[in-house]
Amino acid sequence: MQRSSDRESAVLYEAPSSVDELVAASPPRPDDAPPEPITGLRPGEVLVGECLDARHPTLAGRLLVRWTTSRGALERWLPSLHGLAVRAQDRVLVSQPSNWPEPLVTGVVDGFALRPEPPLAEAARLTLHGDEALRVAAADGKPLVEVFASETGPVIRLMTEDADIELKGALRISARSIDLVARQGEVRVNAADDVIVQGENIHLN
């Protein structure tokens, strides 16, 4: 015990011992650590999860995501950033903002489903009935192209006897399946370099 005095009063205090200083400087016990969040994600933490369902029954923009932490596998309906195109089985980035109560889906790592095309602004529209067609003609009135609707879908018909499709770059044709039919005559394929044909099975006569 030590005595400290001033002009008006005397105060008794106990100097801290070396044991008290060691106890104060010791690291916190595990019991004193903050509990792990129920989602297993601490603020600022980012991990990869799997989207199980991209359509919430009632809320738009919510995804059912599964991820693994020290707690094991967890599943939650999580909000996603606006404009993300997410499909079931996609691997997504899940992050926990420090000022938000739940994790957010912030991106798609990869996608096994086809990504939807971004919507285009409609500049003009021409409506055709079943018995109508859109025709493009040359200056002399000779028909060039006709567009109309059929039972199987839209038809683009070239109105001339012969026609050429030319462009400086590469021509790509993409569809679920493609049929090339020559009603009369042969089919020729000419190339200045190699001709490559790839497929699961290639059938020749």
Side-chain angles (χ1 to χ4, degrees):
M1 300 290 291
Q2 300 181 6
R3 181 180 297 275
S4 175
S5 60
D6 55 23
R7 295 179 180 179
E8 299 180 355
S9 62
V11 180
L12 296 178
Y13 69 91
E14 183 178 357
S17 65
S18 58
V19 176
D20 295 332
E21 293 176 353
L22 290 175
V23 172
S26 61
R29 297 175 300 171
D31 295 341
D32 298 334
E36 184 178 359
I38 189 172
T39 59
L41 283 148
R42 300 190 182 280
E45 188 174 1
V46 181
L47 52 75
V48 175
E50 180 185 1
C51 177
L52 303 179
D53 194 343
R55 295 179 179 270
H56 191 278
T58 57
L59 299 177
R62 291 261 173 177
L63 310 171
L64 181 59
V65 181
R66 178 174 59 200
W67 66 95
T68 304
T69 65
S70 58
R71 288 172 165 265
L74 300 175
E75 295 181 9
R76 295 286 188 279
W77 285 99
L78 302 180
S80 61
L81 293 185
H82 179 70
L84 282 184
V86 185
R87 296 291 182 270
Q89 298 183 347
D90 284 353
R91 289 189 287 182
V92 295
L93 283 179
V94 180
S95 62
Q96 176 61 66
S98 58
N99 63 341
W100 196 254
E102 59 183 339
L104 300 176
V105 176
T106 57
V108 180
V109 178
D110 58 9
F112 297 102
L114 295 177
R115 307 262 68 77
E117 296 182 359
L120 301 177
E122 184 177 288
R125 175 191 289 259
L126 176 63
T127 302
L128 299 176
H129 295 284
D131 57 348
E132 295 178 333
L134 171 65
R135 292 188 177 93
V136 179
D140 58 358
K142 183 179 180 179
L144 300 177
V145 181
E146 183 180 66
V147 180
F148 61 94
S150 69
E151 295 181 355
T152 58
V155 177
I156 301 176
R157 178 180 293 166
L158 304 181
M159 306 297 292
T160 58
E161 185 72 19
D162 298 314
D164 296 321
I165 300 176
E166 296 182 358
L167 67 161
K168 295 181 179 180
L171 174 63
R172 288 173 290 273
I173 301 176
S174 176
R176 184 177 57 189
S177 62
I178 297 177
D179 291 334
L180 297 177
V181 178
R183 291 193 297 268
Q184 294 179 357
E186 58 188 4
V187 176
R188 295 182 180 180
V189 179
N190 298 321
D193 208 329
D194 297 339
V195 176
I196 301 173
V197 179
Q198 294 179 340
E200 184 175 351
N201 294 300
I202 299 177
H203 301 275
L204 300 175
N205 289 346

